Amino acid sequence: MSSITEIWEAVSQMAGDHFELAQNNPKFGYLIIFALLSLWLTGLLLRWKWACHWQFWGKLWFFDDCNPETRRRIQIALVSVALAASLTMFFVWR
């Protein structure tokens, strides 16, 4: 039977291996960004409240005259561009 310290050492070793992998391959951070942006885009498309909530509580002067649907569409466009940029940086940049 394993003791708590053996389990803790195994978990610490796995975490250390993951951090070492991240240090040796920093490009994989773009995939993490891609996953987070994909979640945000899914929330925007499904109109989840947390995803559609505009930064600064909807008080961005540039979008004062827009209705909420227009703001959501602009946000979808911006997140889509960010998704394309993160994939481009992962596959193209060295």
Side-chain angles (χ1 to χ4, degrees):
M1 188 183 274
S2 296
S3 70
I4 298 292
T5 54
E6 291 175 0
I7 295 171
W8 177 255
E9 288 174 4
V11 169
S12 292
Q13 179 65 33
M14 285 191 295
D17 292 343
H18 288 293
F19 284 122
E20 186 178 321
L21 177 71
Q23 285 177 341
N24 293 335
N25 302 304
K27 281 178 52 172
F28 286 103
Y30 294 126
L31 292 180
I32 294 169
I33 292 170
F34 177 78
L36 293 173
L37 287 172
S38 297
L39 178 67
W40 190 11
L41 183 62
T42 302
L44 287 171
L45 293 174
L46 296 176
R47 291 181 170 86
W48 292 340
K49 185 178 178 180
W50 65 267
C52 294
H53 192 66
W54 199 244
Q55 190 178 11
F56 304 116
W57 295 278
K59 302 292 185 205
L60 194 58
W61 66 270
F62 191 72
F63 301 110
D64 281 346
D65 296 332
C66 297
N67 61 10
E69 185 61 26
T70 304
R71 288 182 188 183
R72 187 179 76 86
R73 288 181 183 163
I74 292 170
Q75 206 170 7
I76 287 171
L78 292 174
V79 171
S80 298
V81 168
L83 273 170
S86 68
L87 281 181
T88 301
M89 286 187 278
F90 177 74
F91 286 113
V92 176
W93 288 9
R94 294 177 190 232

